Amino acid sequence: MPVSRAWTPLDIPSQAGRTVVITGANSGIGLEAARLMGRAGARVVLAVRDVTRGAVAARTIDGPSEVRRLDLADLATVRAFVAGLDGSVDLLLNNAGVMAVRRSTTADGFEEQIGVNHLGHFALTNLLLPQLTDRVVTMSSLLHKRGQIRADDLSWERRRYRPWRAYSQSKLANLLFAAELQRRLDAIGSPVVSMAAHPGYAATNLQTHTGNPLVSFALKAGNILLAQSAEQGAWPLVYAATADIPGGSYVGPGGMNESRGAPALVGRSSAALDEAVARRLWDESERLTSTSFERTG
C-alpha cells in the first residue's frame, strides 16, 4: 500500500518487548536504524565485526542493547553468532555491506562483495529462521538495476573482475533472495515475512572504503553535495521493518528518482522479478554456504 503521507520516525509503533538483530550496526545506516529502533523500545543486538567499535556505538542507543561479533566474510562466525543467541528474535535487518572494493576473497573463498553482501546474509537468515517470529529485511540498492546474476560464477573467477558490476550483482542477489525467501515462507504458511529496502543516496562511510582513493574522493564529494543523511537513509529500512505492509515489499525513498525522501513502496528491475534465476541463485547459495531453508512453520 502506498504511504498516504510523509512517514517519519514518529510513526514507528512501539517495539517494546521485541528483539531486533541489525548487521553492520556500529556505523552509518545500521547505527541509525539501531538508534531509531532503540528509541521505539526494542532490544537491539548489534551484529558487528569490530566489537570495540560496536560497544562505542551501543552507548549512543537508548534502551537495552547487546554487542555480538559477526563477520559476514567468515561463515564460521555466522554460525557462532546464531549459536550464541538465546531465545526468539523478532526482526532481522540484513544491513551490512561493502561497495565497489578491489578484488579480495572472504575466509570461505568467495569474492568479497557477493560473500559479504549476499552469501553471509543468506547463511545468517537461514540459520536464524527457526528463532525468527516476525520479519527479515534485506538491504539492496538502486544499483541492483545494473546487476546481472551469474550463478555459475558468483565470485568472478571466470570473468574479468569489475568492482561496480560485482557490487550491482550482489545487490540484485539481495532482492532475488528476499523475494525467494518470501515465496518459501508463503509455501509453508509461515507468519514470518521477507522485505527488502534501499537507502537511496545516503552519506555513509561505505562510499569511502572502496580501496580506490580517486573513487572514494569522488564519492565523498557526492556525499557532501548530493546525499541525504545516514539517518534518512535508514528510514526505508526501519519502515520496512515496522510498517503494516505486505510480505515481499520493496521500500525506498519516494522522491527524486528514489535518491532521497520519505519511504515508499518502489519498483524493481525485471531481472529482480525473475523467479527462475532466484531459484538458481538460492540453490547455488545453499551449496556454497552449506545452509538451507529450515523454517518449520
Side-chain angles (χ1 to χ4, degrees), residues 20-97:
V20 54
V21 172
I22 307 177
T23 67
N26 60 0
S27 65
I29 288 171
L31 176 55
E32 296 298 340
R35 288 169 174 162
L36 292 173
M37 295 299 291
R39 286 175 207 156
R43 170 179 171 260
V44 180
V45 179
L46 292 82
V48 298
R49 185 174 57 181
D50 186 333
V51 294
T52 300
R53 290 180 60 203
V56 173
R59 291 198 287 270
T60 71
I61 298 170
D62 294 333
S65 63
E66 178 183 356
V67 179
R68 296 186 59 85
R69 184 170 185 269
L70 173 70
D71 185 352
L72 292 162
D74 185 346
L75 293 181
T77 77
V78 175
R79 294 180 183 279
F81 174 86
V82 175
L85 281 176
D86 294 325
S88 63
V89 172
D90 299 284
L91 302 167
L92 170 61
L93 307 189
N94 289 326
N95 161 78

Side-chain angles (χ1 to χ4, degrees), residues 7 199 228 232 235-236 252-256 258-264:
W7 181 95
Q228 61 183 357
Q232 289 173 307
W235 288 8
M256 288 189 63
E258 298 180 27
S259 64
R260 60 192 304 149

Side-chain angles (χ1 to χ4, degrees), residues 1-7 239 245 251 262-265:
M1 65 187 72
V3 181
S4 59
R5 63 174 179 80
W7 181 95
Y239 180 83
I245 54 177
V251 180
L265 300 191

Side-chain angles (χ1 to χ4, degrees), residues 98-220:
V98 293
M99 184 175 75
V101 294
R102 291 177 176 174
R103 181 173 177 80
S104 61
T105 56
T106 69
D108 303 280
F110 310 136
E111 183 274 319
E112 186 177 8
Q113 296 190 83
I114 198 70
V116 171
N117 298 353
H118 169 60
L119 292 171
H121 283 125
F122 178 90
L124 173 64
T125 304
N126 273 328
L127 292 169
L128 197 55
L129 272 177
Q131 294 170 247
L132 275 170
T133 67
D134 187 356
R135 66 183 75 180
V136 182
V137 186
T138 301
M139 186 69 91
S140 184
S141 165
L142 280 168
L143 287 178
H144 87 271
K145 296 176 182 179
R146 299 182 183 180
Q148 180 182 17
I149 298 296
R150 280 282 303 272
D152 64 336
D153 188 29
L154 290 175
S155 286
W156 295 79
E157 296 170 331
R158 304 176 188 177
R159 296 171 283 170
R160 178 185 174 188
Y161 179 71
R162 297 180 182 274
W164 284 105
R165 291 188 183 180
Y167 177 71
S168 296
Q169 176 186 244
S170 73
K171 294 290 102 180
L172 175 57
N174 290 148
L175 269 183
L176 290 166
F177 161 65
E180 180 64 17
L181 177 60
Q182 182 62 54
R183 285 189 286 270
R184 290 171 182 250
L185 291 166
D186 285 341
I188 62 170
S190 173
V192 176
V193 294
S194 171
M195 309 287 191
H198 80 78
Y201 189 178
T204 72
N205 61 8
L206 185 68
Q207 292 95 334
T208 61
H209 288 77
T210 67
N212 184 318
L214 290 177
V215 171
S216 293
F217 176 80
L219 292 172
K220 186 176 181 179

